[in-house]
Amino acid sequence: MAARALNANATLLARAEAVMPGGVSSPVRAFGAVGGGPPFIVAGEGPYVLDAGGRRYVDMVCSWGPLVAGHAHPAVVSAITAQAERGTSYGMPSPLEAELAEAVVAAYPGVEMVRFVSSGTEATMSALRLARAATGREAILKFAGCYHGHADALLARAGSGIATFGLPDSAGVTAAVARETVTVQYNDLAAAARAARERALAAIFVEPVAANMGCVPPEEGFLAGLRALADETGALLVFDEVITGFRVARGGAQERYAVRADITCLGKIIGGGLPVGAYGGSRALMERVAPLGPVYQAGTLSGNPLAMAAGLATLALLDAAAYTRLEVLGARLGEGLARAARSAGVLARVQRVGSLLTLFFTDRPVRDDEEARACDRARFAAFHRAMLARGILLPPSQLECLFVSLAHDEDVLDQVTTAAGDALAEVNE
Ligand SMILES: Cc1ncc(COP(=O)(O)O)c(C=O)c1O
């Protein structure tokens, strides 16, 4: 069975590599950081995915975050199916957009108006344009290891996908663009303050819980400090909640840490597994966006009715009990992995915020990108392969988070920790 699975996946990879760079549509899927080829997925159900060779895995990637309800949740599937029967795209407004916008506005007190786009990248790129237009300034501050999509200005020291391939930046980004992006280490408020006082910043971009250098929580006072710094210097504070939005709380990191952003970027969960992004802020800010204002931004499939329907169905599942459940499940997995590492005698630590977590191969707290990169990534790669062999699909990089969904019940998570115990013992041999 395992050999057949390998063959089917290897054959598909060779076929894809002939016609697609790396055989993939997004670089980290190529498994460059862990070796071996990726499984080619043909189906997902609840906490599981099935590959082309017929092998089933517990899926801890969950499409990198959108699938907070697991794969093919019946309510989400039926919302998509019902909408598809009424048409897949209109190129005109539909009532679903206002309904999803109302749900976002209700959950994020700093958001009075929302614009839907088709990806997180578009959300952050558009937020950047809006911030520049609103402030009349060009430079921005971001934190090393935070990923805000692949727009030129936001690619500087941009976290997992880039770090995994050892590229400091991306080729093709002009020096002029790079000069306008100042980067300091995450959780380093003093460095952020120096940068913000030296340069007139249009915006301070941050992942309020960093999830693209593994899971790195904001230290006490970091987010509030950025809020104060933005107020002091006239920069706009942009929270990239593409991962944390509707995940670490319904109101995202802004609710969890009680800090309000000027512009909020969303994606992933609000599309329920279909392509979506959104950015929003105060009415005064958002009225600068076309057609009301001069900041141009548009999209053929923006506000796509299938994506809106999937998002609405997903948000309908996320009541207070769901967040309590995500917390309980995240804690169970985190504690299980930490226990597994201890009993295998492996130096490792779990960092977790709700249902986002990372097992770092280090004995010290990881507070920023430098510390994340200093972890034993070769050992992570061996662990990843050992887990895959045991039917557990982890994100293929030390610098990523595991995503727990509502479909991962205690039994499934215990299966993951049991496999981790064996896998850690194996990599420690
Ligand atoms: C925090 C964050 N912002 C933005 C993005 C970009 O979103 P997308 O991949 O939908 O363009 C990602 C993607 O993983 C992300 O993690």
Side-chain angles (χ1 to χ4, degrees):
M1 176 70 140
R4 187 158 66 85
L6 254 167
N7 282 341
N9 290 309
T11 305
L12 282 166
L13 182 60
R15 180 176 159 195
E17 277 173 343
V19 286
M20 299 164 64
V24 294
S25 298
S26 196
V28 80
R29 295 181 203 168
F31 275 39
V34 291
F40 276 62
I41 304 302
V42 296
E45 188 188 2
Y48 303 109
V49 284
L50 191 74
D51 79 7
R55 192 144 192 241
R56 194 173 81 156
Y57 305 86
V58 174
D59 180 20
M60 299 313 306
V61 181
C62 287
S63 188
W64 306 92
L67 303 181
V68 70
H71 290 273
H73 188 286
V76 179
V77 172
S78 87
I80 295 171
T81 311
Q83 178 53 45
E85 282 168 0
R86 292 194 292 270
T88 55
S89 182
Y90 304 136
M92 288 287 148
S94 86
L96 297 168
E97 292 156 71
E99 199 180 331
L100 189 56
E102 282 161 6
V104 170
V105 166
Y108 292 77
V111 176
E112 292 175 322
M113 296 180 106
V114 187
R115 167 60 56 85
F116 290 111
V117 292
S118 296
S119 68
T121 292
E122 277 183 79
T124 50
M125 181 185 80
S126 310
L128 170 58
R129 185 176 304 142
L130 175 58
R132 284 177 165 159
T135 58
R137 301 171 176 184
E138 292 188 2
I140 57 160
L141 175 67
K142 78 175 283 292
F143 296 89
C146 283
Y147 179 61
H148 304 295
H150 61 85
D152 284 4
L154 294 167
L155 263 187
R157 300 170 79 185
S160 171
I162 301 249
T164 296
F165 292 94
L167 306 172
D169 277 314
S170 170
V173 174
T174 63
V177 167
R179 268 197 299 277
E180 296 305 334
T181 305
V182 183
T183 310
V184 300
Q185 287 294 330
Y186 196 75
N187 276 322
D188 189 345
L189 191 56
R194 275 195 303 279
R197 287 171 190 145
E198 248 164 46
R199 298 276 292 269
L201 297 175
I204 301 174
F205 270 76
V206 69
E207 281 184 73
V209 174
N212 284 283
M213 48 180 127
C215 181
V216 178
E219 287 187 338
E220 181 79 42
F222 178 59
L223 297 176
L226 294 182
R227 176 69 273 167
L229 200 55
D231 291 340
E232 174 198 322
T233 60
L236 294 178
L237 183 61
V238 181
F239 272 13
D240 179 349
E241 298 231 40
V242 167
I243 284 185
T244 53
F246 289 96
R247 175 170 286 277
V248 299
R250 194 164 169 96
Q254 295 176 68
E255 178 182 327
R256 195 166 179 123
Y257 298 100
V259 175
R260 198 176 288 189
D262 297 308
I263 303 180
T264 300
C265 298
L266 295 165
K268 305 207 187 236
I269 286 177
I270 61 161
L274 271 71
V276 125
Y279 63 103
S282 68
R283 187 170 303 279
L285 258 182
M286 294 304 288
E287 280 179 349
R288 293 174 183 270
V289 176
L292 296 182
V295 180
Y296 194 71
Q297 183 274 306
T300 301
L301 291 175
S302 296
N304 174 264
L306 288 180
M308 299 292 106
L312 282 164
T314 300
L315 297 196
L317 300 169
L318 296 175
D319 55 10
Y323 286 103
T324 307
R325 180 87 182 128
L326 284 170
E327 207 63 44
V328 166
L329 294 172
R332 187 177 184 104
L333 180 60
E335 284 155 19
L337 290 176
R339 207 168 39 244
R342 270 196 309 277
S343 22
V346 173
L347 285 186
R349 59 178 281 122
V350 173
Q351 293 193 178
R352 179 180 75 84
V353 176
S355 55
L356 289 174
L357 61 120
T358 299
L359 178 71
F360 283 109
F361 285 87
T362 177
D363 56 346
R364 279 179 273 162
V366 175
R367 289 161 307 186
D368 62 27
D369 174 62
E370 254 172 39
E371 291 174 351
R373 286 174 191 236
C375 292
D376 189 343
R377 289 197 267 163
R379 180 160 285 195
F380 174 82
F383 174 60
H384 186 276
R385 289 191 295 271
M387 289 294 271
L388 200 64
R390 288 166 175 79
I392 314 291
L393 179 60
L394 299 178
S397 166
Q398 169 73 103
L399 304 175
E400 301 284 0
C401 293
L402 278 67
F403 292 91
V404 179
S405 83
L406 293 166
H408 290 75
D409 63 16
E410 281 79 355
D411 286 350
V412 170
L413 295 178
D414 293 350
Q415 211 179 308
V416 175
T417 52
T418 304
D422 294 347
L424 288 164
E426 182 183 310
V427 304
N428 210 25
E429 273 167 10

